[in-house]
Amino acid sequence: MAGHSQFKNIMHRKGAQDAKRARAFAKLIREITVSARQGLPDPAFNPRLRSAVQAARVANMTKDTIDRAIKKASGAAGGEDYVEVRYEGYGPAGVAVIVETLTDNRNRTASDIRSAFSKYGGALGETGSVSFQFERAGVVRYPAASADADAMLEAAIEAGAADVESTEDGHEVRTAIEDLFSVRDALEEKFGPAESAKLEWRPNVSVELNEDQARSVLKLVDVLDEHDDVQTVTANFEVPDAVLQKLSD
């Protein structure tokens, strides 16, 4: 996921932070809404909702805003009826792209995603056309200050995790899909709430991009990521540090 995380680093340097924050909040609220509707409206008894609420807290969303989203989801009025739809396709330079959405209008979302791929040098494919190049895994993230690398590794393995990667940026604990929430709960007993705990797509092979290719791919990912219905964008690219520096200047 190096390409995706590098893209996020670039995005953090861009302007329009208020607009970005508003979009991020809207997507978090949508995830809270869907999670609450699919299970109990109590985070203590709904693992997906608990993760959504924790992600909202990390983003500094107020408790009142979170509570309103849960109440709206569980109320009789209901509001929008969101469904999860995944789109797959290829971007410039043959980069594989997976787009996960929550939408209340499949036709609108499909049209917009297809248009973005076409406009920025890619092509939308059928479901399954690129996902074979990724694996699905649970990922639990903690800040670096939560524990030293040895303590995190020991606790994670004891909890049933598959692997741990610790860097100066933080700890990334990887799990099997079915073990995500049990590992998260075990780690939270030792280290407190995680920054995030969710399922992610992990590329098996990455495409290294030159400057022109990186600029084109990042533009496509940028446009997709800004769409209101899009929750996550994952792509299997790597950007060398030298190229990344040029793009961020």
Side-chain angles (χ1 to χ4, degrees), residues 13-45:
R13 300 188 189 110
K14 291 187 176 180
Q17 293 301 312
D18 287 345
K20 277 183 59 183
R21 187 168 183 266
R23 282 196 302 272
F25 271 27
K27 294 181 181 188
L28 287 166
I29 289 172
R30 195 172 290 197
E31 172 63 17
I32 290 171
T33 300
V34 171
S35 301
R37 283 188 183 151
Q38 290 186 350
L40 294 171
D42 184 345
F45 300 100

Side-chain angles (χ1 to χ4, degrees), residues 69-84:
I70 294 175
K71 285 181 180 179
K72 183 178 179 182
S74 56
E80 298 89 350
D81 186 16
Y82 296 115
V83 294
E84 297 176 280

Side-chain angles (χ1 to χ4, degrees), residues 161-223:
D163 195 14
V164 181
E165 182 177 349
S166 295
T167 68
E168 61 182 15
D169 295 324
H171 307 283
E172 183 178 279
V173 180
R174 291 187 284 276
T175 79
I177 294 173
E178 62 274 13
D179 295 334
L180 172 60
F181 295 122
S182 62
V183 170
R184 177 201 63 187
D185 291 348
L187 293 178
E188 288 191 347
E189 288 185 9
K190 290 179 178 285
F191 307 119
E195 276 190 330
S196 65
K198 57 186 178 179
L199 296 176
E200 295 184 358
W201 295 97
R202 317 287 299 190
N204 296 319
V205 179
S206 295
V207 179
E208 184 170 303
L209 304 179
N210 61 33
E211 184 177 349
D212 289 340
Q213 292 169 333
R215 186 175 287 106
S216 297
V217 170
L218 291 174
K219 183 60 178 176
L220 171 61
V221 175
D222 188 351
V223 169

Side-chain angles (χ1 to χ4, degrees), residues 118-147:
S118 177
K119 183 175 180 179
Y120 295 100
L124 187 64
E126 299 293 328
T127 300
S129 60
V130 306
S131 57
F132 69 92
Q133 299 183 53
F134 299 76
E135 63 176 345
R136 193 71 160 156
V139 181
V140 183
R141 289 190 171 85
Y142 272 92
S146 300

Side-chain angles (χ1 to χ4, degrees), residues 224-246:
L224 291 170
D225 203 49
E226 289 183 353
H227 194 285
D228 290 342
D229 297 338
V230 172
Q231 293 296 103
T232 62
V233 182
T234 307
N236 68 338
F237 64 89
E238 297 274 358
V239 181
D241 289 342
V243 173
L244 190 63
Q245 183 61 45
K246 288 183 179 180

